[in-house]
């Protein structure tokens, strides 16, 4: 479809196609809007709120908001940077995140956002919840301590794998990821080849026996902050 | 192998056509029949409806009135609202636990479960509880013990009702001890009867409004509503005529009208009174809306707590069908078809939010939807849908009865007509008041016998807390906007306890979909606890304000966007209360850090005590 919609992000003119969301149009234009629950190809979710921008002065999630001609989007402002720092810190204190022992370190999008935002330690109160680790599946593990409830596995299982391995149960602060079996992941039809396993931005859903393969210092986010790929892809195009 | 499911689960599913969009009804019925929706029932429902079992589990674990764990034949749900707490909740709860010999969340050996629950819409007759569907009001510890003893004899909650309430509460299909407490200004000393007109609470003669609506075109009905400048009474204040116009203009032959009778905002109970006393006006409003937007289907979404009104409301619907006020040919004019079904909720405040309400009507957990699309474009089952509050629809009927001009005689340009207020707390005459928009708060407080109020919560926990210097402000959309709740707090009350109760409510009622609301509510609650315990520092107040701002801006729906209001509005209007409790440590230590608590485990493990200086 023609890129015949024009709008601005932080004053920069961006061309977009009808039906695109702000985050998609921004990405195509080489502008990184921080995100966690958004994953290209999946139905928009709008849960983590890290992509919050202001469109014509009103806050909205860039991953769900469609573009409109002439809209004025604010993205990289002090107010929104502070808000995103808060959200990332809230996710850190909500779960149990021990980056130093986590095999996802250096690949983890939550950790990478914290680094990009310059977060050293959360200012909020750690809640240290008691959560389970599900090792029942021969090839996949679920560590609920690290789950940030982004729903990427839920959507990938349904929309890409054509299965329904995951769904959320409970409400509010008791909400957690569950599997489609009374018992545990081992009792579902989950397979290590499922795209859902690779959809997790953190270390909550992992393939067994492959951790720590990349040496520290050469892991993706050791080398370049999260979002750099989006920012440089457009530069290459030019 | 899992245990076999209760025998009639497949039949229950079949009653609802094995239709996944009726999952809330199915789960409610399984719960009612078997006391829980256990793992075997979850499997059986999934099979019958051909949906993954985890989808069923997801729904069952979302709603407070559904449970995976077995409950007793009788469930006592004591309302833990702040108003009930001020009126003896602790004593009543202690009496229940002592008499039953169990704690909250437990079930006695003879099959009585004790729980606490968020506001059940009876703050004006607190403390109150639901025994299964049956409301019991104005409890005290004696009455609580007596209730348990009686239940042990007959296990029939209906028999607990001895004295019937006023009006339709005494109707044979309701038979409830609930009272309407409809008040007038003249109830107050020196009050003047004529000063307060009755609009939505005035008597209602069924066919009139609908007849007038059908005698003009749908576009003219919408024009009349626009001319009346009617704005939504459910809290958001959106102009009703414009909402209808959008829904009418949306493409699609099938459209839906939903009446929002979820009334979950703590301290609100005026919709309960309208449903009890003016059900025909509510249904007429829905029918007029259906005609105006071109919808043939209406849904009344009734909160689970008001299930005791359902048989009565079903009877009213049936009577309207017989009178031609509902059904295939309204009033025999060959102009419009419209019918209404009642959708029961299952215990979730967030389902009052219109997109969550729609999701719940679709048989799913009540997560709000992303907007756009808005309900007027794609709502219930993807159909253009208009959602209106009970009181809004009553106003619609009144506007049809008497014309826009008469309606506009009351109130102001921005806020026409009247507003029902649900007043409770530290006042002599709690109940429902109809006041014209623009009435000063001071006057409202005088009507209710609350001249001594030190603080008033306007609009419930999601609204704002105001103090004496705000009493000359007025009730209207431009000043003190409110969905109708008004909780009065006397000088003896600890406002931080109130704030804490509200945060507790929001943390439990958050749907959990988005980060700021799910985590922010818990963080704010912990910070308030820290301040109340005397461990707070001035910097904690800034942290609260920061989290509050982020919740307001980043939350996905109105729940999270307003959940910090109890903190933000008291920090703004009652800052000295906080300042008296927070201190900076003279030696620069973090007061929030509990050193003794931090070393307690290692002390126990090593068997040695540390020395603190
Ligand atoms: C958390 C939350 C709870 C709500 N609860 C109710 C409710 O119980 N009743 C109601 O009419 N509106 C409620 N609303 C407002 C509805 O979303 C919606 O605006 C309203 O039903 C529209 O009807 P109206 O325009 O007639 O007011 C709630 C909103 C939020 C965010
Ligand atoms: S603000 Fe977010 S978590 Fe809270 S109720 Fe709305 S969608 Fe759910
Ligand atoms: S990326 Fe938009 S809400 Fe998570």
């Amino acid at each position: 479809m023609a890129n015949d919609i024009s709008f601005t992000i932080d004053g920069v003119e961006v061309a977009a196609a009808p039906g695109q969301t702000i985050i998609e149009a921004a990405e195509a234009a080489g502008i990184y809007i921080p995100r966690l629950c958004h994953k290209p190809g999946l139905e928009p979710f709008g849960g983590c709120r890290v992509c919050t921008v202001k469109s014509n002065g009103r806050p909205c999630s860039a991953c769900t908001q469609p573009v409109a001609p002439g809209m004025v989007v604010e993205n990289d402002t002090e107010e929104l940077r502070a808000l995103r720092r808060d959200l990332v810190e809230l996710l850190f204190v909500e779960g149990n995140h021990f980056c130093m022992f986590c095999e996802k370190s250096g690949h983890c999008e939550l950790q990478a956002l914290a680094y990009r935002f310059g977060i050293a330690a959360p200012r909020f109160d750690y809640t240290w919840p008691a959560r389970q680790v599900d090792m029942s599946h021969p090839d996949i593990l679920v560590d609920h301590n690290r789950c940030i409830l982004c729903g990427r596995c839920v959507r990938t299982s349904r929309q890409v794998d054509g299965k329904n391995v995951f769904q959320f149960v409970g409400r509010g602060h008791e909400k957690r990821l569950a599997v489609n079996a009374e018992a545990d992941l081992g009792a579902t039809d989950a397979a290590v080849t499922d795209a859902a396993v690779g959809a997790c931005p953190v270390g909550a859903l992992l393939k067994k026996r492959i951790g720590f393969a990349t040496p520290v210092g050469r892991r993706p986010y050791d080398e370049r902050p999260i979002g750099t790929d989006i920012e440089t892809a457009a530069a290459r195009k030019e | 192998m899992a245990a076999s499911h209760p025998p009639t689960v497949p039949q229950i599913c079949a009653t609802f056509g094995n239709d996944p969009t009726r999952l809330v009804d199915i789960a409610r019925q399984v719960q009612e029949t078997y006391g829980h929706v256990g793992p075997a029932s979850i499997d059986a429902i999934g099979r019958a409806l051909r949906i993954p079992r985890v989808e069923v589990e997801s729904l069952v674990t979302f709603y407070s009135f559904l449970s995976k764990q077995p409950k007793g034949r009788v469930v006592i749900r004591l309302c833990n609202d702040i108003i009930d707490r001020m009126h003896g909740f602790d004593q009543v709860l202690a009496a229940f636990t002592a008499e039953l010999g169990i704690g909250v969340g437990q079930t006695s050996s003879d099959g009585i479960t004790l729980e606490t629950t968020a506001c059940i819409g009876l703050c004006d007759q607190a403390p109150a509880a639901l025994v299964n569907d049956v409301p019991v009001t104005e409890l005290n510890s004696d009455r609580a013990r007596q209730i348990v003893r009686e239940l042990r004899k007959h296990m029939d909650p209906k028999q607990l009702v001895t004295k019937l309430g006023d009006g339709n509460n005494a109707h044979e299909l309701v038979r409830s001890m609930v009272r309407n407490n409809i008040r007038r200004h003249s109830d107050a000393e020196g009050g003047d009867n004529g000063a307060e007109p009755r609009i939505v609470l005035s008597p209602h003669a069924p066919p009139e409004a609908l007849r007038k609506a059908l005698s003009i075109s749908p576009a003219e009905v919408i024009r009349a509503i626009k001319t009346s400048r009617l704005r939504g009474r459910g809290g958001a204040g959106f102009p009703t005529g414009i909402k209808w116009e959008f829904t009418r203009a949306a493409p699609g032959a099938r459209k839906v009208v939903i009446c929002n009778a979820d009334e979950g905002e703590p301290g609100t109970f005026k919709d309960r009174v309208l449903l009890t006393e003016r059900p025909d006006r509510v249904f007429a409003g829905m029918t007029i809306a259906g005609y105006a937007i071109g919808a043939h289907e209406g849904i009344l979404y009734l909160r689970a707590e008001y299930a005791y009104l359902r048989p009565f409301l079903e009877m009213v619907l049936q009577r309207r069908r017989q009178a031609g006020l509902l059904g295939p040919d309204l009033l025999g004019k060959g102009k419009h078809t419209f019918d209404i079904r009642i959708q029961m909720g299952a215990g979730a405040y967030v389902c009052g939010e219109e997109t969550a309400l729609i999701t719940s009507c679709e048989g799913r957990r009540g997560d709000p939807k992303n907007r756009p699309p808005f309900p007027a474009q794609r709502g219930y089952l993807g159909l253009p849908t208009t959602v209106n509050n009970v009181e809004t629809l009553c106003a619609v009927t009144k506007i049809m009865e008497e014309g826009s001009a008469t309606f506009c005689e009351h109130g102001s340009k921005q806020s026409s007509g009247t507003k029902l207020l649900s007043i409770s707390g530290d006042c002599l005459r709690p109940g429902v008041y109809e006041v014209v928009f623009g009435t000063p708060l001071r006057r409202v407080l005088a009507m209710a016998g609350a001249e001594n109020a030190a603080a008033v919560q306007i609009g419930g926990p999601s609204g704002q807390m105001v103090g004496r210097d705000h009493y000359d402000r007025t009730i209207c959309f431009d000043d003190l906007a409110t969905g109708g709740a008004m909780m009065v707090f006397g000088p003896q009350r600890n406002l931080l306890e109130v704030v804490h109760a509200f945060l507790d409510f929001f943390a439990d009622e958050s749907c959990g979909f988005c980060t700021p609301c799910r985590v922010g509510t818990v963080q704010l609650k912990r910070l308030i606890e820290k301040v109340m315990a005397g461990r707070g520092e001035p910097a904690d107040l800034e942290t609260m304000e920061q989290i509050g701002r982020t919740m307001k801006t980043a939350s996905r729906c109105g729940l999270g966007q307003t959940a910090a209001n109890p903190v933000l509005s008291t920090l703004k209007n009652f800052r000295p209360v906080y300042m008296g409790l927070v201190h900076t440590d003279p030696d620069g230590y973090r007061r929030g850090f509990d050193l003794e608590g931090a070393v307690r485990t290692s002390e126990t493990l090593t068997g040695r005590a540390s020395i603190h200086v």
Side-chain angles (χ1 to χ4, degrees):
Chain A
M1 215 179 289
N3 271 12
D4 50 8
I5 291 184
S6 167
F7 70 104
T8 63
I9 301 179
D10 294 333
V12 177
E13 195 92 18
V14 173
Q20 269 188 320
T21 57
I22 296 176
I23 213 167
E24 288 166 344
E27 183 156 341
I31 297 171
Y32 174 64
I33 299 177
R35 79 287 300 274
L36 274 172
C37 67
H38 171 75
K39 193 164 184 291
L42 297 180
E43 198 178 289
F45 189 68
C48 75
R49 314 308 286 176
V50 170
C51 69
T52 301
V53 294
K54 285 195 174 173
S55 153
N56 298 333
R58 290 174 68 103
C60 62
S61 46
C63 68
T64 60
Q65 187 70 29
V67 293
M71 80 195 317
V72 177
V73 175
E74 296 163 58
N75 171 39
D76 198 18
T77 65
E78 186 41 47
E79 183 196 357
L80 293 171
R81 281 194 296 268
L83 175 145
R84 291 171 187 152
R85 270 196 299 274
D86 282 356
L87 295 173
V88 167
E89 291 187 28
L90 288 171
L91 287 171
F92 268 104
V93 300
E94 184 191 30
N96 300 310
H97 298 275
F98 300 99
C99 299
M100 56 298 225
F101 318 130
C102 179
E103 57 204 275
K104 191 81 174 202
S105 257
H107 306 261
C108 169
E109 295 179 27
L110 181 68
Q111 182 195 39
L113 278 178
Y115 280 130
R116 183 171 172 129
F117 297 160
I119 297 169
R123 293 152 297 162
F124 308 140
D125 196 12
Y126 283 103
T127 50
W128 306 131
R131 294 205 190 150
Q132 305 289 316
V133 181
D134 178 353
M135 297 293 282
S136 60
H137 193 282
D139 305 314
I140 310 163
L141 71 90
V142 189
D143 186 343
H144 291 281
N145 291 289
R146 303 166 181 163
C147 176
I148 56 168
L149 306 174
C150 68
R152 276 163 51 164
C153 60
V154 177
R155 285 172 288 152
T156 307
S157 182
R158 188 181 318 137
Q159 293 158 27
V160 181
D161 299 328
K163 298 184 180 181
N164 278 288
V165 176
F166 303 102
Q167 187 47 281
F168 295 115
V169 297
R171 176 171 91 193
H173 52 98
E174 290 180 354
K175 181 175 176 172
R176 60 175 184 82
L177 184 67
V179 298
N180 191 27
E182 190 187 335
D184 43 30
L185 189 67
T188 68
D189 58 350
V192 72
T193 48
D194 287 356
V197 185
C200 180
V202 294
L205 200 56
L206 290 171
K207 292 180 187 165
K208 289 182 175 174
R209 299 179 295 274
I210 60 142
F212 305 110
T214 322
V216 175
R218 275 193 262 140
R219 303 168 305 182
Y221 299 129
D222 292 335
E223 303 190 318
R224 297 178 326 155
I226 192 166
T228 315
D229 49 343
I230 291 172
E231 289 161 338
T232 51
R236 273 200 307 276
K237 253 191 272 168
E238 271 165 19
Chain B
M1 214 22 238
S4 64
H5 59 78
T8 62
V9 171
Q11 271 135 272
I12 293 173
C13 294
T15 320
F16 293 96
N18 292 322
D19 179 356
T21 70
R22 304 303 296 274
L23 185 52
V24 172
D25 306 80
I26 292 168
R28 274 186 58 97
Q29 198 158 332
V30 172
Q31 177 82 36
E32 202 175 295
T33 315
Y34 297 106
H36 72 310
V37 190
S41 296
I42 288 177
D43 277 325
I45 296 172
R47 271 197 305 275
L49 271 49
R50 298 167 184 277
I51 56 174
R53 79 175 309 278
V54 73
E55 294 291 338
V56 183
E57 185 181 2
S58 179
L59 177 129
V60 170
T61 53
F62 185 88
Y63 294 100
S64 317
F65 281 48
L66 303 174
S67 67
K68 267 168 69 182
Q69 278 72 42
K71 288 193 188 172
R73 243 194 325 138
V74 172
V75 182
I76 300 175
R77 291 188 175 87
L78 181 61
C79 177
N80 66 11
D81 192 86
I82 186 67
I83 303 298
D84 294 68
R85 287 179 190 274
M86 285 156 41
H87 288 91
F89 166 88
D90 287 338
Q91 290 86 326
V92 174
L93 183 64
F96 274 129
T97 51
E99 193 67 31
L100 286 163
I102 54 169
V104 174
Q106 296 179 330
T107 302
S108 68
S109 54
D110 43 3
I112 304 176
T113 302
L114 179 63
E115 291 183 355
T116 59
T117 188
C119 182
I120 57 176
L122 293 164
C123 287
D124 57 337
Q125 35 218 301
L130 290 173
V131 184
N132 290 354
D133 289 349
V134 177
V136 288
T137 58
E138 294 180 331
L139 297 171
N140 53 40
S141 47
D142 283 348
R143 182 65 191 134
R145 275 188 287 271
Q146 198 188 351
I147 283 175
V148 174
R149 282 187 220 121
E150 285 179 38
L151 282 174
R152 287 203 162 120
K153 274 187 236 146
H154 50 62
M155 290 300 260
D156 177 10
K158 288 199 175 71
Q159 288 187 42
L160 298 172
V161 179
T162 43
K163 191 163 174 286
L164 295 177
D166 54 340
N168 286 331
N169 290 298
H171 190 283
E172 57 174 8
L173 290 173
V174 184
R175 292 198 57 79
S176 166
M177 64 192 291
V178 169
R179 277 182 291 110
N180 291 322
N181 289 335
I182 300 172
R183 312 274 184 183
R184 308 209 67 146
H185 185 209
S186 52
D187 296 344
E189 215 172 302
D192 159 17
N193 209 340
E196 297 300 329
R198 283 273 162 100
I199 307 294
V200 292
L201 278 175
S202 64
H204 173 66
E208 200 43 35
L210 187 57
R211 183 165 296 139
K212 285 195 179 154
L214 290 178
S215 71
I216 56 179
S217 72
E220 283 168 323
V221 173
I222 292 178
R223 197 170 318 131
I225 299 301
K226 282 171 82 174
T227 312
S228 76
R229 300 191 304 271
L230 174 64
R231 294 172 66 173
R233 303 317 199 211
F238 194 84
T240 307
I242 295 180
K243 187 187 283 193
W244 288 10
E245 205 165 52
F246 285 154
T247 321
R248 178 158 189 90
R254 195 178 153 201
K255 295 178 184 172
V256 184
V257 173
I258 299 183
C259 171
N260 187 342
D262 196 52
E263 191 159 67
E265 187 74 32
T268 316
F269 42 84
K270 47 103 186 165
D271 291 343
R272 182 199 79 223
V273 171
L274 287 174
L275 291 164
T276 309
E277 295 304 323
R278 300 289 179 269
D280 272 299
R281 180 165 279 154
V282 181
F283 294 141
M286 290 176 73
T287 313
I288 293 162
Y291 175 65
I293 68 164
H296 304 295
E297 296 164 63
I299 300 175
L300 176 80
Y301 188 91
L302 186 65
R303 71 186 304 222
E305 291 81 351
Y306 294 169
Y308 73 100
L309 289 173
R310 185 177 184 177
F312 169 71
L313 293 171
E314 295 282 10
M315 179 278 293
V316 176
L317 288 175
Q318 198 50 34
R319 202 175 57 197
R320 291 182 70 83
R321 285 183 197 110
Q322 280 154 7
L325 300 169
L326 278 179
D329 181 12
L330 298 180
L331 291 170
K333 287 190 187 296
K335 280 189 115 168
H336 201 67
T337 299
F338 191 77
D339 211 333
I340 296 173
R341 79 168 170 97
I342 297 178
Q343 172 67 56
M344 293 306 301
Y349 163 67
V350 69
C351 288
E353 193 282 332
E354 59 184 4
T355 64
L357 180 138
I358 289 171
T359 317
S360 183
C361 288
E362 293 167 341
R364 293 188 281 149
R365 52 185 278 138
D367 290 332
K369 295 175 194 274
N370 286 321
R371 272 154 301 193
F374 290 90
Q377 308 160 271
R378 258 183 286 152
Y380 176 67
L381 302 178
L383 308 166
T385 304
T386 190
V387 180
N388 280 121
N389 172 257
V390 172
E391 185 184 345
T392 311
L393 290 164
C394 285
V396 161
T397 307
K398 190 71 183 179
I399 292 162
M400 280 299 123
E401 282 168 47
E402 295 185 349
S404 315
T406 312
F407 186 80
C408 288
E409 280 168 14
H410 310 290
S412 63
K413 183 142 193 344
Q414 288 301 318
S415 314
S416 57
T418 59
K419 184 78 196 82
L420 291 188
L421 300 175
S422 314
I423 307 185
S424 65
D426 293 317
C427 59
L428 296 175
R429 291 173 292 276
V432 174
Y433 291 78
E434 181 164 14
V435 303
V436 294
F437 276 114
T439 305
L441 178 54
R442 190 180 303 285
R443 181 136 180 275
V444 175
L445 292 173
M447 288 183 209
E451 288 91 340
N452 202 19
V456 185
Q457 182 75 23
I458 306 283
S462 71
Q464 49 178 324
M465 182 84 87
V466 300
R468 290 199 172 92
D469 45 345
H470 294 255
Y471 291 175
D472 289 320
R473 295 174 61 184
T474 59
I475 306 294
C476 65
F477 289 105
D478 308 316
D479 194 2
L480 294 173
T482 172
M486 193 178 278
M487 296 160 141
V488 182
F489 301 103
Q492 75 276 28
R493 305 294 173 189
N494 177 351
L495 284 192
L496 293 194
E497 262 172 41
V498 178
V499 173
H500 183 261
F502 290 170
L503 289 173
D504 203 32
F505 168 77
F506 286 127
D508 284 347
E509 296 295 336
S510 160
C511 82
F513 197 102
C514 73
T515 312
C517 171
R518 183 184 71 240
V519 196
T521 48
V522 173
Q523 286 292 318
L524 287 180
K525 191 175 123 184
R526 289 164 83 104
L527 281 162
I528 285 285
E529 282 164 6
K530 185 176 168 191
V531 170
M532 289 170 83
R535 288 183 171 275
E537 298 169 49
D540 290 324
L541 306 186
E542 282 157 39
T543 307
M544 284 195 246
E545 280 167 332
Q546 174 66 31
I547 294 176
R549 269 197 301 274
T550 290
M551 289 168 65
K552 229 183 175 61
T553 310
S555 289
R556 187 165 175 260
C557 84
L559 193 154
Q561 286 157 12
T562 57
N565 283 354
V567 173
L568 296 176
S569 78
T570 49
L571 275 171
K572 186 162 160 244
N573 296 335
F574 297 89
R575 203 165 185 97
V577 175
Y578 289 86
M579 293 315 285
L581 285 165
V582 295
H583 308 282
T584 310
D585 189 281
D587 300 319
Y589 287 116
R590 298 281 298 275
R591 289 171 46 84
F593 185 67
D594 175 8
L595 180 60
E596 274 145 64
V599 297
R600 196 168 298 130
T601 317
S602 60
E603 283 181 345
T604 317
L605 288 172
T606 57
R608 283 198 304 243
S610 319
I611 300 164
H612 305 296
V613 284

